[in-house]
């Protein structure tokens, strides 16, 4: 009897070791910094992990499509970390998302911004404006932990693997996509430009709203808003 039980324990142990060898723990993403035992580390006072959950992959993002997403973290004024949301419960890895059609100063960086010409068409000397932290704070206040809708354009991702999108604060109707009033009120890219928190950046061929965005940038400039206000 004892010998039979010993054989049984050995068989169970062999089965457990076989399962472990064929199902290794999730691997960590490549990372230049030092990771702790949980596969994570602190960066700028925030802890985040680089462990890739087993069986979960990146979504194959399509062009000219609208996706529901959650804003997990704000990187800077024009870049966030998002998780796609699906009613069927599908789960995908978080993605870095870059806002289309604009550029905000990076946090902690100093940018040289040209002011608009005077009535005689002359440009005043460039002024130095450190506006990155302000733009990032605005995006964080407006988007962090919110549900948004991401609209992709011709190229859904850039060469760095970032999702490229226009960010809608509420689910857009088909008519909203070409309605300038709706774009001004509901698209966060437009809100950034209108408030002077960003300047236009043409990321062709993904530039569906380039003309409208140029108008919005001009309005912010003439109103001396945000980074265009040389009195800051």
């Amino acid at each position: 009897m004892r010998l039979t039980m010993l054989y049984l324990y050995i068989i169970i142990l062999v089965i457990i070791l076989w399962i472990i060898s064929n199902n290794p723990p999730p691997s960590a993403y490549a990372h230049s910094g030092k990771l702790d035992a949980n596969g994570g580390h602190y960066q700028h006072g925030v802890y985040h992990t680089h462990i890739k959950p087993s069986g979960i992959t990146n979504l194959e993002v399509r062009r000219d499509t609208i996706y529901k997403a959650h804003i997990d973290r704000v990187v800077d004024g024009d870049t966030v970390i998002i998780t796609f949301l699906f009613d069927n419960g599908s789960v995908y890895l978080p993605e870095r998302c870059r806002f289309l059609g604009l550029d905000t100063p990076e946090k902690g960086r100093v940018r040289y911004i040209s002011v608009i010409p005077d009535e005689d068409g002359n440009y005043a000397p460039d002024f130095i404006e450190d506006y990155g932290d302000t733009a990032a704070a605005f995006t964080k206040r407006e988007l962090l932990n919110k549900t948004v809708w991401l609209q992709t354009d011709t190229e859904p991702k850039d060469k760095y693997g970032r999702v490229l999108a226009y960010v809608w604060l509420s689910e857009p109707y088909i008519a909203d996509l070409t309605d300038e009033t709706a774009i001004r009120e509901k698209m966060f890219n437009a809100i950034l430009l209108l408030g002077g928190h960003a300047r236009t950046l043409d990321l062709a061929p993904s530039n569906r709203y380039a003309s409208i965005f140029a108008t919005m940038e001009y309005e912010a400039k003439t109103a001396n808003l945000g980074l265009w206000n040389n009195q800051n």
Side-chain angles (χ1 to χ4, degrees):
M1 182 66 179
R2 291 181 179 178
L3 188 59
T4 302
M5 291 299 295
L6 178 61
Y7 284 145
L8 181 59
Y9 288 144
I10 293 174
I11 292 173
I12 294 174
L13 179 61
V14 170
I15 292 174
I16 292 174
L17 292 175
W18 182 87
I19 292 174
I20 293 174
S21 65
N22 284 275
N23 294 274
S27 58
Y29 295 123
H31 189 270
S32 58
K34 184 177 181 180
L35 303 181
D36 62 21
N38 296 315
H41 70 125
Y42 281 92
Q43 183 177 21
H44 305 302
V46 177
Y47 183 84
H48 62 282
T49 182
H50 292 260
I51 292 295
K52 180 179 180 179
S54 179
I56 302 178
T57 62
N58 291 97
L59 176 68
E60 185 177 344
V61 184
R62 299 182 179 182
R63 59 174 291 179
D64 302 315
T65 304
I66 294 176
Y67 296 96
K68 187 178 181 180
H70 179 268
I71 305 296
D72 301 333
R73 184 164 63 91
V74 173
V75 178
D76 56 29
D78 56 31
T79 306
V80 295
I81 305 298
I82 60 98
T83 297
F84 289 105
L85 302 175
F86 293 93
D87 294 336
N88 64 5
S90 297
V91 178
Y92 295 91
L93 289 173
E95 302 257 15
R96 186 173 290 253
C97 176
R98 174 70 161 79
F99 304 161
L100 276 170
L102 56 84
D103 180 46
T104 64
E106 296 181 27
K107 291 193 297 183
R109 296 283 184 87
V110 174
R111 290 288 182 95
Y112 291 83
I113 308 296
S114 295
V115 297
I116 60 176
D118 59 22
E119 295 179 354
D120 299 322
N122 299 314
Y123 283 86
D126 287 352
F127 64 93
I128 299 175
E129 180 62 42
D130 184 5
Y131 198 80
D133 291 336
T134 302
F138 179 78
T139 296
K140 184 175 182 179
R141 183 172 68 250
E142 298 298 317
L143 294 188
L144 185 61
N145 293 323
K146 300 290 181 62
T147 296
V148 298
W149 283 259
L150 305 178
Q151 176 191 356
T152 59
D153 205 321
T154 304
E155 292 184 346
K157 287 191 174 184
D158 63 12
K159 62 181 180 180
Y160 306 108
R162 299 177 298 185
V163 176
L164 301 176
Y166 307 104
V167 181
W168 292 84
L169 301 179
S170 60
E171 186 172 9
Y173 297 103
I174 296 299
D176 290 341
L177 305 183
T178 54
D179 181 355
E180 185 170 341
T181 299
I183 292 169
R184 287 172 175 268
E185 295 177 354
K186 298 170 63 175
M187 184 192 287
F188 190 68
N189 307 54
I191 292 171
L192 282 172
L193 288 165
L194 288 166
H197 301 294
R199 63 193 310 174
T200 56
L201 178 65
D202 192 335
L203 296 174
S206 298
N207 56 1
R208 174 176 303 175
Y209 298 106
S211 178
I212 297 176
F213 285 177
T215 299
M216 294 175 177
E217 179 186 66
Y218 178 76
E219 291 176 11
K221 282 183 179 180
T222 55
N224 294 319
L225 298 177
L227 59 82
W228 306 112
N229 183 357
N230 60 355
Q231 301 303 315
N232 287 339

